[in-house]
């Protein structure tokens, strides 16, 4: 578990700091990108990571578009995708799952709960086919 | 040369240019100073955040950290802002740990002081903080803020009061909530979301004392928050002799909540002398009507008011028991040209065949 890499896509610097802190404390390597455009560029030039944690409200490229891009990509669709968002309407949650999210955590959130979901997706059965 | 400078107009123009240049230069200096101050403050905040973020992150994860109560006023404000941000982003045990840490740092004392003596921005920050602390001692300060004309400050104070003691706040603030038109509905709905039930209870309790305008706004709020109301209260508002504005507000509520208990009154209101009441009644019937109501809706296609006819047609299109195909058929069979027009519009809106 210690060598697994998580891609964090979050534009809020304070939130990004905390998430990175929590994930690194748990032993994960974290790649942080602050907007959707940078995220897409990264995914086009790097091999897939073990898990993606991402916000929906991102600059330049919408989080839903990013999810759909990953879902339709030959390799990146294999990385589990956890959405962490303040958008709490049922329609947004449904839309995120339809776009390819594997999990959805609403803000305000519990770091402990987020970590248990991360561990569940990264367990022996965590990688989606 | 002397002739040149003896010209009075030229002299005035030269003086005016000099004064304008001096003012421009002064403005540029002031802008430069404000920019420098703004950037200096941003750098201070960033530096403070870099120092405190690891500490707060450790607290969030459950490590006990030494507290620092020796902060200068500027840093106290930055800490409060940072703490409030985290408090509103996190839930569960992490949030509780953060709160205990903030109390140990004296943040509640700082916030009370700001509420007492601060400027507008500081009072705003104190209202947010004291609400998040659920700090009972803040009540008189927040109560004073909530009565101010300042829309942002008064709303924040209202939110804080509802966080501290929902029942008491709902009771004391009900009239303000229903009277202040500058308090936007969407913001109020967000604030009242956690206190829906106590708000409802207070509303029902104080209903007899409410004015007509307050009752209208109450229906509007309840419709948007999906709050049910006692049948007797709604029945009283849906009487034929109620004020038109109240009837429309109550019918809108009924449309949103789709409470079948008031069908009889709804049917009676389809005959109301005022067109806007009939129109809203038809719209409401379209939302909660069943197959047995189709005949009534078809009758409303012959109403004298164009809006009512159109809403009847739309209502038929939306009824699961009727549908767009039958609408198209009805359109071809109906003799009344005005009803035909309404059906044609509704048909087109739903992409029906021409």
């Amino acid at each position: 578990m210690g060598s697994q890499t998580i891609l964090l896509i979050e534009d809020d610097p304070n939130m990004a700091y905390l998430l990175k802190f929590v994930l690194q404390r748990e032993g994960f390597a974290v790649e942080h990108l602050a907007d959707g455009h940078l995220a897409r560029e990264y995914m086009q030039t790097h091999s897939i990571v073990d898990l993606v944690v991402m916000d929906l409200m991102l600059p330049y490229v919408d989080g839903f578009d990013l999810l759909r891009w990953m879902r339709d990509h030959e390799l990146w669709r294999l990385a589990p995708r956890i959405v962490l968002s303040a958008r709490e309407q049922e329609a947004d949650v449904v839309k995120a799952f339809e776009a390819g999210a594997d999990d959805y955590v609403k803000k305000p959130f519990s770091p402990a709960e987020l970590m248990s979901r991360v561990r569940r997706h990264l367990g022996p059965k965590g990688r989606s086919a | 040369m002397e002739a040149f400078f003896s010209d009075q107009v030229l002299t005035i123009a030269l003086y005016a240019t000099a004064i304008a240049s001096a003012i421009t230069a002064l403005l540029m200096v002031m802008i430069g100073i404000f920019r420098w101050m703004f950037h200096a403050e941003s750098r201070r905040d960033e530096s403070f955040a870099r120092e405190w973020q690891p500490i707060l992150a450790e607290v969030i994860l459950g490590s006990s950290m030494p507290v620092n109560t020796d902060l200068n006023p500027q840093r106290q404000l930055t800490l409060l802002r940072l703490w409030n941000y985290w408090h509103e982003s996190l839930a569960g045990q992490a949030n509780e740990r953060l709160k205990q840490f903030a109390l140990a740092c004296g943040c509640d004392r700082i916030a009370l002081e700001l509420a007492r003596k601060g400027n507008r921005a500081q009072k705003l920050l104190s209202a947010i903080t004291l609400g998040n602390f659920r700090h009972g001692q803040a009540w008189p300060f927040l109560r004073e803020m909530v009565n101010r004309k300042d829309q942002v400050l008064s709303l924040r104070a209202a939110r804080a009061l509802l966080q501290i003691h929902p029942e008491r706040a709902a009771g004391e603030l009900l009239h303000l909530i229903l009277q202040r038109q500058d308090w936007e509905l969407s913001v109020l709905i967000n604030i009242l979301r956690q206190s829906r039930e106590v708000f409802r209870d207070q509303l029902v309790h104080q209903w007899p004392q409410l004015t007509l305008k307050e009752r209208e706004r109450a229906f509007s709020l309840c419709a948007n928050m999906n709050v049910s109301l006692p049948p007797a209260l709604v029945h009283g508002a849906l009487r034929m002799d109620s004020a038109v504005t109240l009837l429309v507000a109550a019918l809108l509520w009924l449309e949103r909540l789709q409470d079948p208990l008031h069908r009889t009154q709804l049917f009676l209101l389809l005959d109301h002398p005022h067109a806007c009441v009939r129109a809203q009644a038809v719209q409401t019937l379209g939302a909660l009507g069943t197959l047995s109501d189709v005949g009534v809706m078809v009758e409303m296609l012959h109403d004298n008011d164009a809006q009512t006819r159109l809403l009847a047609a739309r209502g038929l299109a939306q009824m699961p028991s009727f549908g767009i195909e039958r609408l198209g058929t009805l359109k071809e069979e109906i003799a009344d040209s005005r009803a035909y027009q309404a059906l044609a519009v509704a048909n087109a809106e739903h992409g029906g065949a021409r």
Side-chain angles (χ1 to χ4, degrees):
Chain A
M1 191 179 270
S3 60
Q4 287 172 307
T5 303
I6 294 177
L7 178 63
L8 172 62
I9 312 171
E10 170 63 66
D11 62 319
D12 183 320
N14 285 318
M15 183 58 67
Y17 177 89
L18 177 67
L19 289 170
K20 203 170 167 180
F21 188 97
V22 170
L23 291 167
Q24 284 174 337
R25 176 59 62 91
E26 291 289 325
F28 296 107
V30 179
E31 290 288 340
H32 169 233
L33 298 162
D35 67 63
H37 180 66
L38 285 172
R40 199 148 64 185
E41 271 188 357
Y42 177 93
M43 289 188 278
Q44 283 168 340
T45 53
H46 291 72
S47 50
I48 69 165
V49 296
D50 297 284
L51 183 130
V52 177
V53 175
M54 58 179 285
D55 194 359
L56 284 177
M57 292 185 284
L58 295 167
Y60 307 121
V61 178
D62 177 56
F64 292 111
D65 287 340
L66 210 54
L67 278 170
R68 281 188 278 269
W69 187 90
M70 282 190 270
R71 178 196 63 192
D72 298 337
H73 193 277
E74 185 189 3
L75 292 174
W76 278 90
R77 65 187 179 88
L78 299 174
R81 297 166 287 281
I82 299 179
V83 166
L84 177 63
S85 176
R87 291 173 81 149
E88 55 179 5
Q89 298 294 323
E90 183 184 308
D92 294 321
V93 178
V94 169
K95 192 176 170 187
F97 279 116
E98 285 174 352
D102 294 292
D103 209 339
Y104 196 110
V105 178
K106 293 178 192 172
K107 291 177 188 172
F109 72 102
S110 157
E113 183 194 326
L114 175 66
M115 283 317 305
S116 70
R117 289 171 187 261
V118 166
R119 282 190 285 271
R120 184 169 72 84
H121 285 288
L122 288 175
K125 301 175 190 174
R127 276 278 181 97
S128 48
Chain B
M1 195 68 134
E2 241 178 278
F4 178 76
F5 282 110
S6 68
D7 186 345
Q8 278 188 337
V9 170
L10 191 60
T11 308
I12 292 168
L14 284 169
Y15 274 119
T17 305
I19 292 168
S21 301
I23 291 172
T24 305
L26 183 64
L27 276 171
M28 285 174 65
V29 166
M30 283 174 66
I31 289 170
I33 290 172
F34 283 135
R35 279 177 62 107
W36 176 83
M37 284 170 64
F38 175 76
H39 285 301
E41 190 179 334
S42 292
R43 278 194 297 275
R44 270 198 305 272
D45 283 352
E46 280 167 16
S47 157
F48 185 84
R50 273 197 298 276
E51 183 186 336
W52 278 81
Q53 272 177 344
I55 298 171
L56 291 174
E58 292 285 356
V59 169
I60 288 165
L61 290 181
S63 311
S64 60
M65 298 298 294
V67 301
N68 183 352
T69 56
D70 190 26
L71 296 168
N72 67 43
Q74 187 56 41
R75 293 198 135 196
Q76 287 173 356
L77 294 180
T78 312
L79 176 59
L80 284 184
R81 279 193 285 270
L82 201 54
W83 179 81
N84 277 301
Y85 171 85
W86 284 123
H87 179 88
E88 300 201 356
S89 302
L90 299 172
Q93 288 293 316
N95 210 339
E96 188 53 37
R97 285 192 285 266
L98 213 49
K99 182 180 169 185
Q100 293 307 318
F101 179 76
L103 286 171
C105 286
C107 287
D108 56 333
R109 181 180 37 80
I110 298 165
L112 274 174
E113 209 40 44
L114 292 177
R116 207 187 337 251
K117 296 183 192 168
N119 58 31
R120 180 185 181 266
Q122 289 167 349
K123 281 191 192 294
L124 204 53
L125 181 58
S126 73
I128 296 168
T129 309
L130 293 166
N132 284 334
F133 272 133
R134 311 297 197 261
H135 204 300
Q137 286 179 33
W139 195 271
F141 306 110
L142 293 169
R143 203 62 184 84
E144 184 272 326
M145 280 187 222
V146 90
N147 287 319
R148 291 192 177 201
K149 284 185 183 162
D150 186 326
Q151 179 220 35
V152 174
L153 185 59
S154 56
L155 267 172
R156 278 292 178 185
R159 180 178 178 249
L161 287 166
L162 282 161
Q163 284 175 287
I164 293 169
H165 199 309
E167 291 86 359
R168 184 180 172 191
E172 289 186 20
L173 300 181
L174 185 71
H175 285 281
L176 269 179
I177 289 169
L178 298 178
Q179 284 169 2
R180 284 194 69 154
Q181 298 299 318
D182 61 325
W183 284 4
E184 283 180 30
L185 269 184
S186 57
V187 179
L188 271 176
I189 287 161
N190 210 24
I191 288 172
L192 290 169
R193 203 186 319 169
Q194 304 296 328
S195 324
R196 284 168 79 248
E197 292 306 317
V198 298
F199 168 75
R200 178 199 181 274
D201 291 344
Q202 280 300 322
L203 184 64
V204 171
H205 177 68
Q206 297 192 38
W207 188 263
Q209 288 86 40
L210 297 184
T211 65
L212 174 64
K213 282 280 176 207
E214 287 172 341
R215 290 182 180 188
E216 287 165 22
R217 190 157 157 100
F219 270 116
S220 187
L221 266 172
C222 290
N224 281 284
M225 290 197 294
N226 217 35
V227 168
S228 65
L229 292 168
L233 188 155
V234 179
H235 186 88
L238 288 176
R239 287 157 50 109
M240 203 67 154
D241 57 356
S242 292
V244 165
T245 46
L246 181 63
L247 276 170
V248 171
L251 283 167
L252 266 167
W253 172 88
L254 188 58
E255 179 190 347
R256 189 66 66 90
L257 268 83
Q258 301 193 7
D259 188 342
L261 281 176
H262 305 283
R263 284 173 59 88
T264 307
Q265 283 184 291
L266 179 58
F267 283 122
L268 289 173
L269 290 169
L270 292 172
D271 276 329
H272 195 279
H274 222 284
C276 64
V277 175
R278 296 199 305 275
Q280 185 57 57
V282 148
Q283 184 166 299
T284 302
L285 185 58
L288 53 79
T290 60
L291 192 58
S292 60
D293 301 320
V294 167
V296 174
M297 291 292 276
V298 171
E299 272 180 42
M300 295 309 292
L301 288 172
H302 304 286
D303 192 275
N304 279 331
D305 175 60
Q307 182 69 2
T308 304
R309 294 195 297 272
L310 177 59
L311 289 169
R314 282 179 181 159
L316 282 166
Q318 284 164 5
M319 276 174 150
S321 46
F322 197 77
I324 196 65
E325 259 189 44
R326 287 180 69 179
L327 194 81
T329 309
L330 178 63
K331 180 177 74 96
E332 296 312 320
E333 291 170 356
I334 206 153
D336 182 341
S337 61
R338 298 186 310 176
Y340 177 88
Q341 284 300 323
L343 288 166
V345 171
N347 200 36
E349 282 171 354
H350 285 82
R354 298 189 69 184

